Structures are given as structure tokens and as C-alpha cells.
Amino acid sequence: MEKPVISAENDTSAPDPAGIAAALSDILTSDSFANADRLRNFLEYVVTEAIDGRGNGIRGKTIAQDVYGRNAATDGDPENVVRVDARRLRRRLADYYSSEGKDADVRIYIDSGGYTPRFEKTSGVRNISSNPGPTSGPEQGAVVPVKHHRMIVGAIVLFFMAAAIADYYLRHNTDETIPLTIDEADASRVLQRQALLEKSPASLQAVNMVEQARGLLIPIFDPARQKLSLGFFRQAIEVDPSYYGSYAGAAEATASLALLSPEGPGKQQLLADSQKMSDMAIKLAPTDPWVQSASSWTAFALKDYDKAIRLSERARALAPRDGHILDTYAAIAIFTGEFEKVLKVSDPKTRAPNSARRFGNRNSYAGANFFLGNHEEALATLTDAAELGDPVSPVLASLRVAATHALGNQEEARKLASDLKKSWPDAPIDRVLLSFFRDPEHANALIWRLKDAGWAPGPAQAETAPDTPKN
């Protein structure tokens, strides 16, 4: 049954102001909005305006002035920021109602095409009365909110679960380790570690080191992280030369370092090392998805783009829920110009909920949207990524400058370009972009916007990109 849309002011089933205010408070204090000050201010402003009867007067211009303190006379087109944040707010609200707020009695929506909030009552539970009665507990016959019932039932269930687990351990006091988990992936990992330990402690140590180092491979554009991860992989090889993962990780790290390096003997040595490590990983475990993925990244660094695409497609087919493999697949797709492919595997709203932790999907999604001309979506996703703790790098910061520039907010773009220069004064962003993109026109599409916003390479960096825009 479709939920009723509450909009008429005289609708007796519509949420009352107290219920709306309570719903707003729950959102503003939720984990979903913990690091989103601008979105909290945005939402609080439009909801308060609506409660006070001024909902029909909410415009992008008024939000820019009242929430952000901006006006068109001095800040160019401040409504661009409002449009971007409105899209972020809609997405953040959807995430909230799919998790923390799934049991909310009153829901708040900001529909596309405007900024006036819409309110829905999602249950038959009465709103809190202005005369709640005794605070010591509900009176006999009083209606207890549904979510309170769930909390009580949940507490009882947890109590008996804890009692059952304790009883199990008291009756099964053995030396064997029994994983208490309902997650099949976690159970599989425990069994794998038991098997490795039986083989040798060194084998288990190597696997643990490789898994820790694997998390350092993203962001790709951070050479310090690549060098650190490479050190772990090399040490794991020394501990257990038979483990394929050590070679796969080393192949990825050296390939990234090669892409980040200027032309010369050092770059060529890194490429040769990456190929050597990739070949060894293939020899040890030719059908392993990560081995195929790491080999695809080596092929990409060697500019064998067709092979890179083929191997990354194979790795994805072998492990469609592995976040690291999906991120590598997306990176190869974006740098070879296959932007639509990136959207399919990197959309934060549709990725598999049980996939491995992904560190780069939002940034890949933002990059693809930029090159497809969806600049507002690109900027909104980049801002979300930063607030949610995703990796930050000079290249990703440059993408944010370019998206802001493309939206026509030149003053904000100049500020971001200045911040980029202060944070990474010597970063050779233009050279790195030209090294990664198969088509130099895609790199130049970013570089010219950076320069137009005021960014310039450091004095030690050679100028390699044109100063004029490319279509």
C-alpha cells in the first residue's frame, strides 16, 4: 500500500509541528549527519521556515543568503552551492531512512525541483501529546510508541542470546576456537586462518601483513602510501615466498609508483619490477581474482590498455563483491575513458551492501560524472566522500576545483585552487594526470580549469599541458 503524501495544512493526519520538530532533532543528532554541518544547517533552516508558515517562500537565493551568507552581488552564482547541497541532502536523508531512521514515525523529504520540505507520517502511532502525563512511566492503557516496543523486545532478545552464548561456552569448554558469527564471510576467514596456521605460523603472518598493506593501496595518487605498502609486501615475501598475495600487492604498488614517477630509468625499473611481481603472482595463483586485478593494473601502467581492460573485467567477474577489485576496475575504466562503466560499479547508492570496504568508489563515481558533464553530482559526491572519511589527494582536490569551475562559481574555484596549492605546493598534478589518462584530452579537460582558477605547478615542475580549454 502506497504511503500517503502529507501536504495539506488542514489534513488531520499530517504530522503536527511538535512531531516534525522531534523528527528534525533526531536527524540533526544522528550519525548519518555527524560530519555534515552545512547539510544540518540547510535542513534545519528549510524545516523551520516551513513550520513557521514560510515554506512557499523558500528559494535557492534565500538559502544562499540566510544559511551560507552569500549573495549574487559578491559571490557570483551562490545558488550553485545550494543546488549541489540539496542533492547531497536528499541522498543523505535517503541513507538515514534506510538505516538509523528506518523506524521514524515522521519523515522529512526535500523533493527534486525545489527546496520546500514535505512531511510524512509513516505510522498510526499518535504524536507526543502536549500533556504527556506522569514522567515515571506510561499510564495504564496509554499507547506506547512502536519503536519503544521494538527496543523492549530487542533488549529481551539480546538478553536471551547472551545467556545462550554463555551457556554454550560453559557446556563446551574445549581448546578449539569456535567463531561466534552469523556472517559467512567472517566464518570463512576464520577457517582460512586456521588452515594457514596449521601450515605454518609464517604463512598466517604473511597473509595478515598483506591484508593490512592492501588497505594502503588507495588512494593511488599518494606515493608515500604506495611505498609503505610495498615495504609490507616485500617483507611478507621474505616471511612466506609461496604466498601469491604478497606478489599481487607488490605488483600493484610498484605499478602505481611507476605511474606517479617522471620519465627516466627509475620509472622503467619500477615497471619492470611490477611485471616481475605480476608474473610471479600469476605463476602461484593464476585464477585468483586479486592476482588478475593486480596484473590488470600492471598492464595499465605499461600502457597495454586492451590487456588491462580484459584482465580487470575478468577479475570483476571472478569477485563481483570485492571492493578493492571493483575500485581497480573503476580506476582503469575512468582512465581509459569508459565513464559509463564506472557509474555501474561505483554508484554509492547501489553498490552491494555486503561488499568489502571500498575506499575509492565515491571518488571514481565523482570523476565519471565530471567527464559526463554531471558537474553538480560530481561536486556533491566529492563533498560527501570527504565528509565520510574517504581518501584525499591532490588529484581529487583538483577534481573538486574543476567541478566548481565548471558550475560557474569562479570565486569558490579560485579559493579551492589556492587551498590546493597551499596543501600540496609541489604536487605535479598536470604531469600525473597526463601519465594516468589514456587520452590526453581528458587530462587537459581538468588541467585547463585548474589553471584558469589560478593553480600553477611548482617551480621545479615542468609545464606539460596547454592553457586553453579542450572540448
Side-chain angles (χ1 to χ4, degrees), residues 55-242:
N56 292 333
I58 299 174
R59 300 287 185 273
K61 180 179 179 180
T62 61
I63 296 171
Q65 291 175 344
D66 296 346
V67 179
Y68 301 143
R70 303 185 182 187
N71 61 76
T74 59
D75 297 308
D77 183 8
E79 291 188 47
N80 271 334
V81 178
V82 177
R83 286 192 293 271
V84 168
D85 278 1
R87 297 181 75 169
R88 294 176 56 218
L89 179 56
R90 294 181 189 110
R91 186 160 58 231
R92 195 68 70 95
L93 284 170
D95 291 343
Y96 169 76
Y97 287 125
S98 68
S99 55
E100 296 172 81
K102 63 181 182 297
D103 297 325
D105 296 332
V106 175
R107 295 195 175 197
I108 301 172
Y109 298 96
I110 310 291
D111 295 325
S112 298
Y115 307 114
T116 302
R118 173 172 59 88
F119 310 108
E120 272 190 26
K121 184 184 292 186
T122 59
S123 75
V125 178
R126 292 186 292 127
N127 285 320
I128 298 174
S129 169
S130 58
N131 182 21
T135 58
S136 59
E139 295 178 353
Q140 186 175 1
V143 177
V144 179
V146 171
K147 61 183 180 182
H148 289 179
H149 280 304
R150 289 183 180 135
M151 291 173 63
I152 294 169
V153 173
I156 295 172
V157 170
L158 287 174
F159 172 81
F160 282 106
M161 284 179 64
I165 291 170
D167 178 68
Y168 182 91
Y169 267 99
L170 288 173
R171 290 185 295 105
H172 296 77
N173 186 18
T174 69
D175 293 333
E176 295 182 2
T177 300
I178 303 172
L180 291 173
T181 176
I182 60 172
D183 188 293
E184 292 183 2
D186 285 345
S188 177
R189 284 162 57 86
V190 171
L191 293 174
Q192 289 172 7
R193 276 161 172 72
Q194 289 176 346
L196 286 168
L197 185 58
E198 289 177 5
K199 178 185 177 183
S200 74
S203 296
L204 180 56
Q205 181 187 4
V207 170
N208 288 337
M209 290 172 63
V210 166
E211 288 198 356
Q212 292 170 4
R214 196 184 190 200
L216 296 172
L217 290 169
I218 302 294
I220 297 166
F221 304 107
D222 187 341
R225 291 172 69 95
Q226 301 302 325
K227 292 176 183 177
L228 182 60
S229 68
L230 182 57
F232 275 97
F233 293 130
R234 285 174 173 167
Q235 188 173 354
I237 291 172
E238 292 181 5
V239 170
D240 181 7
S242 67

Side-chain angles (χ1 to χ4, degrees), residues 218 323 326-327 330 342-343 345-351 355-368 381 385 390-391:
I218 302 294
L326 291 176
D327 282 344
V342 181
L343 298 186
V345 300
S346 295
D347 188 342
K349 299 186 294 294
T350 60
R351 70 183 188 277
S355 64
R357 172 72 170 99
R358 300 186 63 180
F359 293 95
N361 66 301
R362 292 184 184 87
N363 292 321
S364 296
Y365 183 74
T381 306
D390 286 0

Side-chain angles (χ1 to χ4, degrees), residues 251-260 263 267-268 270-272 274-275 294-305 308 332 435-436:
E252 275 198 56
T254 48
S256 294
L257 287 169
L259 286 162
L260 293 166
E263 293 296 334
K267 184 185 187 82
Q268 294 307 311
L270 286 168
L271 289 171
S274 181
Q275 184 66 72
S295 297
S296 75
W297 192 240
T298 294
F300 176 79
L302 289 165
K303 300 189 184 301
D304 190 346
Y305 299 117
I332 290 175
S435 174
F436 274 80

Side-chain angles (χ1 to χ4, degrees), residues 24 41 73 79 120 140 176 224 231 262 338 363 366 370 384 394 465 467:
L24 174 63
N41 293 338
E79 291 188 47
E120 272 190 26
Q140 186 175 1
E176 295 182 2
E338 300 286 346
N363 292 321
F370 174 83
D384 275 347
D467 294 309

Side-chain angles (χ1 to χ4, degrees), residues 1-83:
M1 181 176 178
E2 188 175 353
K3 294 179 181 178
V5 176
I6 308 300
S7 58
E9 293 184 1
N10 59 354
D11 190 337
T12 58
S13 65
D16 60 27
I20 295 170
L24 174 63
S25 177
D26 288 343
I27 294 171
L28 298 181
T29 57
S30 69
D31 290 341
S32 299
F33 281 75
N35 299 314
D37 291 342
R38 285 192 0 179
L39 297 188
R40 289 202 302 269
N41 293 338
F42 189 128
L43 182 63
E44 185 174 19
Y45 172 80
V46 297
V47 170
T48 301
E49 289 292 291
I51 290 176
D52 291 344
R54 297 186 293 272
N56 292 333
I58 299 174
R59 300 287 185 273
K61 180 179 179 180
T62 61
I63 296 171
Q65 291 175 344
D66 296 346
V67 179
Y68 301 143
R70 303 185 182 187
N71 61 76
T74 59
D75 297 308
D77 183 8
E79 291 188 47
N80 271 334
V81 178
V82 177
R83 286 192 293 271

